Amino acid sequence: MSTRYTKEFKERAVRLLAESRGNYSSETQALVGVAKDLGVAAESLRRWQGQADASGSAGPQESSELRKLRKENAELRRANEILSSASAFFASRLDPTRR
């Protein structure tokens, strides 16, 4: 028997899952616990979460945090490139066979 849930219900369920993650030790436990509280299957909630992630329906707080993390990630990648090239430069100066 198939039960149809409204779009609003699914959005609230995904939002509740996102808010409840800190109360559980793993993502799976959060999925199971929230799904049980809502009376839906954990697999359904997992699918709804995947659909919400794919459609980019993150809330304003999540999207600002995502932008911040992407910016930090880009800065760290640039720093890593600089350190790698500096390491290669100094290694070549110390190794007489590379001259």
Side-chain angles (χ1 to χ4, degrees):
M1 184 169 126
S2 174
T3 304
R4 299 281 176 169
Y5 296 99
T6 65
K7 183 178 178 182
E8 292 79 21
F9 178 81
K10 293 176 184 180
E11 289 171 354
R12 281 196 307 261
V14 170
R15 199 172 328 118
L16 180 62
L17 175 63
E19 293 169 357
S20 300
R21 282 192 181 116
N23 300 335
Y24 296 92
S25 61
S26 72
E27 179 74 17
T28 304
Q29 288 180 346
L31 271 166
V32 171
V34 171
K36 184 177 177 183
D37 291 343
L38 295 174
V40 299
E43 181 61 23
S44 296
L45 183 56
R46 187 195 61 76
R47 241 181 301 116
W48 298 342
Q49 177 192 18
Q51 291 168 351
D53 290 345
S55 68
S57 62
Q61 182 180 8
E62 288 181 19
S63 60
S64 67
E65 181 180 1
L66 186 58
R67 279 193 302 274
K68 184 185 110 197
L69 290 172
R70 284 184 176 156
K71 181 180 176 183
E72 182 180 351
N73 191 16
E75 291 173 6
L76 291 172
R77 286 182 189 272
R78 281 192 298 273
N80 194 23
E81 288 176 23
I82 292 169
L83 291 172
S84 294
S85 57
S87 175
F89 173 76
F90 288 116
S92 68
R93 301 200 81 200
L94 293 175
D95 188 6
T97 61
R98 290 189 173 202
R99 290 183 183 179

